[in-house]
Amino acid sequence: MTPSDVKATLAFSDGSPSMELPIYKGSIGPDVIDIRKLYAQTGKFTYDPGFLSTASCNSTITYIDGDKGELLYRGYPIEQLAVNCDYLETCYLLLYGELPNADQKASFNDRVMHHTMVNEQMQFFLRGFRRDAHPMAVMTGLVGALSAFYHDSTDINNPEHREIAAIRLIAKMPTLVAMAYKYTIGQPYIYPKNDLSYAGNFMRMMFATPCEDYKPNDVLVRAMDRIFTLHADHEQNASTSTVRLCGSSGTNPFAAIAAGVACLWGPAHGGANEACLNMLADIQNQGGVAKIGEFIKQVKDKNSGVKLMGFGHRVYKNYDPRAKLMRETCHEVLGELGLQNDPMFKLAMELEKIALEDEYFVARKLYPNVDFYSGIVQRAIGIPVPLFTAIFALARTVGWIAQLNEMIGDPEYKIGRPRQLFVGATSRDVKPIGQR
Ligand code: ACO
C-alpha cells in the first residue's frame, strides 16, 4: 500500500478533537482511508452494513472497474484470458501471480490431474444424503468432509499445506460435483480420466456410464472451460469474503472453502444462475416473449418481490464483461447443437433488449450479469438446472483458495471481527418467572 500525500480529517460538530486519517493508494481504483486507529482515538466505530464503502483487505489478485465494466485477473483483461488461455492456466495465474510458460503449464496440469481422485470413503459419506438433496447441500458437506481425509494439508499456517490443499481442491471439485450428480440420478460414479483436459474430464465424469463412454465434443468442452474461467475469481464478493473471514480464525482450508460454498448457494449470489433459468422457464410457460411486458411490470413493482434474475450487480454499473463473453459462448454452443432457435435463448435476448431500454433499469444502471446467459449454455450442454451453482462453486474454488492463501501469507492479517452499533435493550435485571 502506498501512502498518499493527501490526508483525511475527521471533524466533529460537538467540539471533540478532530482526527487525521492516512490515505493509501492502490495501483488502480479508489484510494482508501485508513480508519484502523479510529476507535482507539475517538471511541467511535464506522457503520457500513453490506460493506458499501469498506475495503476489507488489500489484494493483488483481481480488479474490477464496475463503471467501465472491466475485470482483470492479475492485470490481464478477462476478455483476453477467455480467448487465449484455458482454465488451468487461469488457475496458475490466480494462485502464483503470473501466467505459466509451456513447461510450467505442463507440470501444473500434471499435478492437478494427478489429484483428481477422492478417497474411496467419500462415496459412503455421499450415501448418507437423500438422493433428492440439493447439490449445493451435498457439496457443502462433501467439501467440509475433505478435511477429515487429508490431514496432511490442514495446517493453514504451513505454506506447503496451503499449496497442496489448493491443488487438491482444484483437482477434486469436478470429481465431487460429478459424484453428487450421479448419486442424484442413481448412476454409478465415473472415475476421473487424467489424460483428458480438466473440463473434458469433468464432462466425462458427468455424462459417461460404465456401459457407454462419453466422447468430449470440442465446442462444448471449450464452453465449459470458459464457464470455469469466467467464474474463477471476482475479488471480495460475498462468498470470497466468507472464505477469508472463516479462514481468518486459522481453520483448515477445506472448512473455509465449505463456508464459501454455503454462501455462494444464495439466490442473490451464485444461486442466481439457477434462479434465472427457472425465471425464463416460468415466462416461457406463461406465453414466452408475449408475456415479457407483463413480467417487467411485476419486476418494477416493489411490492411484487419479483426481480429480474441475472440482472444487476453490486459492483458493475455497466455491462458485466463476463455476460458478453457468455452470450458469445451461448451462440457457439447452440450453433454446434443445432439449437439456434432455442426459445429460451430468444426469450433471454428479447428480455435483455427490453430491459436495457426501460427507464427503470437504465436509471438504476442494471445490466445483465454473468448468470443471465450461463444457465442457457449449461442447460444446452446437458447440465441439470439444480447443478448450475455447484459448477459455479467448482470454478470459484481457485479464487477462494488464492484469496485465502493471500490473506494467510500477509504478515498483517488478523482474525476478522466486525463491530456493531448496538440498538437493543440496555442492562436490566432478570425477574423471577412469576413476575414476567
Ligand atoms: N431486478 C429488479 N430490480 C433490481 C434488480 C433486479 N435484478 N437488481 C437491483 N434492482 C433494484 C433494487 O430494487 C434497487 O431499486 P431502488 O433503488 O428503487 O430501491 C436498485 O435496483 C439497487 O439495487 P440494490 O438491491 O440496492 O443493489 P445491490 O448492490 O444491493 O444488489 C444484487 C445487487 C443482489 C446482485 C441485485 O442486483 C440482485 O438481486 N440481482 C438479481 C440476482 C442476481 O442476478 N444475482 C447475481 C449477482 S452476480 C453473481 O453473483 C455472479
Side-chain angles (χ1 to χ4, degrees), residues 421-426:
L421 174 67
F422 182 70
V423 294
T426 53

Side-chain angles (χ1 to χ4, degrees), residues 79-94:
E79 292 83 354
Q80 291 184 28
L81 291 168
V83 171
N84 298 308
C85 302
D86 64 23
Y87 176 68
L88 283 186
E89 282 171 80
T90 308
C91 289
Y92 186 100
L93 173 70
L94 290 168

